[in-house]
Amino acid sequence: MRPENQSSVSDFLLLGLPIQPGQQGVFITLFLGMYLTTVLGNLLIILLIRLDSRLHTPMYFFLSHLAFSDISLSSVTVPKMLVNMRTLRQSISYVGCISQVCFFLIFGSLDCLLLAVMAYDRYVAICHPLHYTTIMREGLCTLLVAGSWMVSCGSALLHTLLLVQLSFCADITITHFFCELTALLKLSCSDISLSMLVIFTEGGFIYLLSLGTILGSYIRIGTIILRVPSTKRLVKAFSTCGSHLFVVSLYYGTVAGVYFFSSSWDSKDIIASVMYTVATPMLNPFIYSLRNRDIKQALEMCVNKLKFFK
């Protein structure tokens, strides 16, 4: 097969989701609804946190950044997928593909790190309640979020710089519904050993650091609660941490299944990718608000204000 260098590759073809042609309309409607729910739901959370002074706490500060990251993560992949499904065109430009890889890595890593930061926040709130305001001061919260952004951007930039150095073969069909890094590397005629090494070392480090922080925080929380068992404390801990644990399990479980426990891309991996790129960002507003009294009160207050102005 004759290799083509990266400058001569102007487009890639996205194979898309494993959907029958006659079912395209149903899935377009489904994913459009999920995307709009993601955007509107997460924007509502950001707006409520911004408007209600009672929500100006570290937990909701981190949640607002997670909501923004979820909107961005879905916006990187879903609109292009919907356009391709609607027009029956599978092409994406070289620049568009590289940009999609970069931004997907930024917001995917940011989600991982923010979930870890939120777990640490819950650990301090439950295990050190008297020192919570002292420990989780505004400066530290800003530093944690800024650090998450810097690590995410640095990681994405590293992978993108390695990617643009590669040459691609005549086969430019990506077996995915978006430009996923490892699927794209398989099309390269160049030596990808360095890129794969960086994925498993640097990417694995971010994943394991985040997951380790989450597990360590919740193991510590469980130890503290079980040391002096109390129904009231158990209920409080579950109401505080239950939603976060569900999001962590859903997000990290699907990511691990795709990147660490799969040797080749197939329809199951693509469906799992839909879970953490489309489903999880959509579910987060419901998970964090349905069981959250503060969010419900803030929403009721905004609704009452709107009724008053009418």
Side-chain angles (χ1 to χ4, degrees):
M1 184 177 294
R2 182 178 64 86
E4 300 181 33
N5 61 36
Q6 59 190 38
S7 60
S8 64
V9 175
S10 59
D11 297 282
F12 290 99
L13 295 178
L14 295 168
L15 195 61
L17 296 171
I19 298 172
Q20 297 296 326
Q23 300 175 328
Q24 293 277 13
V26 175
F27 281 93
I28 288 173
T29 304
L30 174 63
F31 285 115
L32 179 60
M34 294 175 72
Y35 177 65
L36 292 177
T37 302
T38 298
V39 174
L40 296 176
N42 284 288
L43 279 177
L44 179 61
I45 285 181
I46 295 172
L47 183 64
L48 291 176
I49 293 172
R50 181 71 176 172
L51 294 177
D52 196 328
S53 59
R54 294 172 299 177
L55 302 181
H56 294 175
T57 64
M59 181 177 74
Y60 295 110
F61 174 68
F62 299 138
L63 180 57
S64 65
H65 281 270
L66 180 66
F68 175 79
S69 180
D70 283 338
I71 293 173
S72 304
L73 184 65
S74 283
S75 298
V76 169
T77 58
V78 178
K80 179 59 178 175
M81 178 185 70
L82 290 173
V83 169
N84 285 0
M85 292 172 69
R86 179 68 180 83
T87 61
L88 300 179
R89 293 182 59 189
Q90 298 175 307
S91 63
I92 182 171
S93 68
Y94 175 83
V95 174
C97 191
I98 298 300
S99 301
Q100 194 177 61
V101 169
C102 182
F103 285 108
F104 180 80
L105 291 174
I106 288 174
F107 296 111
S109 299
L110 185 61
D111 261 20
C112 282
L113 294 169
L114 287 175
L115 288 171
V117 168
M118 292 173 72
Y120 175 72
D121 174 71
R122 293 302 83 205
Y123 157 73
V124 176
I126 293 174
C127 299
H128 304 283
L130 298 179
H131 303 285
Y132 179 74
T133 54
T134 305
I135 297 173
M136 299 304 295
R137 57 193 183 279
E138 183 179 353
L140 178 61
C141 295
T142 304
L143 183 63
L144 288 171
V145 170
S148 298
W149 273 98
M150 290 174 64
V151 171
S152 300
C153 291
S155 171
L157 182 61
L158 174 61
H159 288 293
T160 305
L161 289 176
L162 290 173
L163 180 62
V164 297
Q165 303 301 315
L166 301 178
S167 299
F168 292 94
C169 302
D171 182 10
I172 55 173
T173 303
I174 303 172
T175 55
H176 216 300
F177 65 91
F178 69 97
C179 290
E180 198 277 330
L181 179 59
T182 56
L184 195 58
L185 289 176
K186 292 181 180 180
L187 304 181
S188 175
C189 297
S190 306
D191 181 11
I192 62 171
S193 56
L194 178 58
S195 294
M196 295 303 295
L197 179 64
V198 172
I199 288 174
F200 282 102
T201 54
E202 184 269 346
F205 174 76
I206 291 177
Y207 180 87
L208 293 176
L209 175 65
S210 304
L211 186 59
T213 301
I214 292 168
L215 292 177
S217 298
Y218 281 109
I219 288 172
R220 185 60 180 161
I221 289 171
T223 303
I224 293 294
I225 292 173
L226 294 176
R227 188 177 298 170
V228 186
S230 165
T231 303
K232 184 178 179 181
R233 293 185 70 181
L234 284 171
V235 171
K236 181 181 178 181
F238 180 77
S239 64
T240 305
C241 306
S243 55
H244 185 252
L245 276 173
F246 182 81
V247 171
V248 167
S249 301
L250 187 62
Y251 184 80
Y252 279 83
T254 52
V255 169
V258 169
Y259 291 101
F260 295 100
F261 300 111
S262 178
S263 57
S264 62
W265 283 101
D266 56 25
S267 59
K268 290 186 293 185
D269 294 319
I270 294 176
I271 292 170
S273 298
V274 171
M275 289 298 296
Y276 71 83
T277 59
V278 183
T280 303
M282 180 195 70
L283 292 173
N284 280 354
F286 298 100
I287 293 169
Y288 283 110
S289 61
L290 290 178
R291 294 182 55 83
N292 191 306
R293 185 179 59 186
D294 295 333
I295 293 288
K296 288 180 180 178
Q297 289 177 348
L299 182 58
E300 289 175 1
M301 183 186 71
C302 288
V303 171
N304 291 333
K305 283 185 177 180
L306 290 174
K307 288 180 179 178
F308 175 77
F309 285 115
K310 284 182 179 180

